[in-house]
C-alpha cells in the first residue's frame, strides 16, 4: 500500500513517515501542493494524506484536482483544530475523511486502515503469502499448503500462529523483536512481565510448518539481537 503524504511541516512529515513505514506502508512525501499534484500524476497511490495549508497550491485545490483526475484515490485531510469550515470545505471537495491537528497517531492509523479496508476490500481480505516456491499460506483459512509434496499436503495453523505471520508479513521489511510481538500480537502491555519464551515456542512450532529445515530457517529467520523477520516470500497476485 503506497501512501502520498502531503505536508509542508518537516516535523509532522518525518514523524508521520516513520510511523507509517513502521506499520508496513510505503510512503512518499510532497512538500507543497505543486509537488503533490506532480507526484500523483506520475504514479498511483492507494491513499493521499493531505494538509490544507500548503505552499504554492493549497490543499483544497489539490483535493479538488485529484478528485477530478484520480476519482478513486481516497484522500484524508489534515485540518487545523476548530476549523470546522475547513472540514466542510474539504469534504465537499471530495475528501473521504479528515483528522484535526494535533491528531493522535493512533487515531490517524485507524482512519487509514478503515478507509483502505473500505476502498480495497479485495486486498484487505486476500491473505495469501507465498514462501519461495515451497509453501502457500492462507492466513484467513489458517492453512499452509506444501507445494512440493505430492498431494500439496496442508498443515493447519493456530490463530495465534496466523496472527504472528500476519504481523511479520505486514512488517516485512524489518526484523520484529519478541517484545514487539508480545505487545502487538498477544496484546501484552509493555509494563507487564515479558515472557519471551512464549514467543520462541510459537516460532519453533511455526517453523515446523513452514520450513524444510527448522535448524536452518529460510523464511522465518532470526536476525541476531533484533528479532524475527519473514524473508523469501513472493508477492501473490
Ligand atoms: Ca501546513
Amino acid at each position: 500500500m503506497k501512501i502520498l503524504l502531503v505536508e509542508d511541516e518537516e516535523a509532522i512529515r518525518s514523524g508521520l513517515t516513520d510511523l507509517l513505514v513502521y506499520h508496513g506502508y510505503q510512503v512518499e512525501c510532497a512538500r507543497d501542493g505543486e509537488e503533490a499534484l506532480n507526484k500523483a500524476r506520475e504514479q498511483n497511490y492507494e491513499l493521499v494524506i493531505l494538509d490544507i495549508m500548503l505552499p504554492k497550491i493549497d490543499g483544497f485545490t489539490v483535493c479538488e484536482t485529484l478528485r477530478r483526475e484520480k476519482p478513486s484515490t481516497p484522500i484524508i485531510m489534515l485540518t487545523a483544530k476548530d476549523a470546522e469550515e475547513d472540514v466542510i470545505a474539504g469534504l465537499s471537495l471530495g475528501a473521504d475523511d479528515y483528522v484535526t491537528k494535533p491528531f493522535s497517531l493512533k487515531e490517524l492509523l485507524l482512519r487509514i486502515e478503515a478507509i483502505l479496508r473500505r476502498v480495497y476490500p479485495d486486498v484487505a481480505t486476500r491473505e495469501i503469502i507465498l514462501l519461495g516456491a515451497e509453501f502457500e499460506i492462507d492466513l484467513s483459512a489458517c492453512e499452509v499448503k506444501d507445494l512440493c509434496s505430492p498431494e500439496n499436503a496442508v498443515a493447519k495453523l493456530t490463530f495465534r500462529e496466523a496472527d504472528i505471520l500476519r504481523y511479520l508479513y505486514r512488517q516485512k521489511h524489518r526484523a520484529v523483536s519478541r517484545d514487539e510481538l508480545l505487545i502487538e500480537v498477544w496484546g501484552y502491555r509493555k509494563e507487564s512481565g515479558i515472557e519471551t519464551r512464549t514467543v520462541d515456542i510459537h516460532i519453533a512450532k511455526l517453523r515446523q510448518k513452514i520450513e524444510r529445515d527448522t535448524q536452518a530457517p529460510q523464511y522465518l529467520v532470526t536476525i541476531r539481537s533484533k528479532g524475527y523477520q519473514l524473508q523469501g516470500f513472493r508477492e501473490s497476485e
Side-chain angles (χ1 to χ4, degrees):
M1 285 284 173
K2 204 189 302 170
I3 296 178
L4 177 63
L5 171 61
V6 189
E7 170 62 74
D8 56 319
E9 271 176 74
E10 160 69 26
I12 299 180
R13 201 171 58 233
S14 60
L16 262 185
T17 302
D18 288 350
L19 174 92
L20 293 170
V21 168
Y22 181 83
H23 284 271
Y25 297 103
Q26 270 180 274
V27 182
E28 284 189 25
C29 295
R31 289 159 189 79
D32 58 62
E34 193 178 275
E35 193 185 2
L37 286 177
N38 287 339
K39 289 204 161 172
R41 280 167 182 149
E42 273 164 26
Q43 58 177 307
N44 287 318
Y45 297 92
E46 273 72 39
L47 176 76
V48 178
I49 299 174
L50 181 62
D51 187 31
I52 289 184
M53 301 290 280
L54 290 171
K56 295 190 186 173
I57 303 175
D58 69 75
F60 293 127
T61 311
V62 173
C63 181
E64 197 178 14
T65 311
L66 278 182
R67 210 13 101 242
R68 200 168 56 235
E69 296 182 8
K70 305 261 178 176
S72 59
T73 305
I75 300 169
I76 297 180
M77 298 210 97
L78 302 178
T79 65
K81 205 176 167 225
D82 302 326
E84 228 174 87
E85 64 277 16
D86 283 358
V87 171
I88 291 162
L91 292 176
S92 56
L93 288 173
D96 296 85
D97 205 348
Y98 66 94
V99 177
T100 52
K101 290 182 182 178
F103 49 84
S104 90
L105 296 177
K106 186 83 191 163
E107 182 193 0
L108 179 61
L109 268 183
L110 289 175
R111 299 284 181 100
I112 291 172
E113 284 171 9
I115 284 195
L116 291 178
R117 263 200 312 274
R118 199 172 69 222
V119 179
Y120 309 101
D122 297 349
V123 179
T125 53
R126 195 192 60 199
E127 290 200 300
I128 304 286
I129 304 173
L130 288 166
L131 299 179
E134 295 193 294
F135 298 100
E136 182 186 292
I137 304 172
D138 184 338
L139 289 177
S140 20
C142 287
E143 284 179 356
V144 179
K145 203 184 282 175
D146 185 342
L147 302 175
C148 298
S149 75
E151 276 119 31
N152 283 359
V154 169
K156 287 302 269 184
L157 294 172
T158 65
F159 286 111
R160 185 71 83 197
E161 289 166 348
D163 282 348
I164 294 170
L165 285 176
R166 185 179 288 114
Y167 189 74
L168 289 176
Y169 186 65
R170 289 180 70 180
Q171 320 299 325
K172 56 198 168 191
H173 301 297
R174 65 180 179 90
V176 175
S177 71
R178 294 160 167 150
D179 284 5
E180 185 180 337
L181 282 173
L182 281 167
I183 292 163
E184 298 292 338
V185 176
W186 273 261
Y188 286 10
R189 295 178 149 277
K190 231 180 192 116
E191 56 269 27
S192 77
I194 297 297
E195 301 171 64
T196 49
R197 282 286 294 152
T198 310
V199 176
D200 295 342
I201 291 165
H202 278 82
I203 296 287
K205 287 191 172 163
L206 257 175
R207 280 180 174 152
Q208 289 169 7
K209 298 174 185 176
I210 63 165
E211 296 286 355
R212 283 285 163 240
D213 180 357
T214 54
Q215 297 307 307
Q218 282 185 50
Y219 305 118
L220 215 178
V221 177
T222 302
I223 309 291
R224 228 179 133 187
S225 73
K226 291 207 168 122
Y228 298 108
Q229 186 172 6
L230 205 57
Q231 296 184 348
F233 51 80
R234 293 185 296 153
E235 306 285 348
S236 60
E237 290 306 324

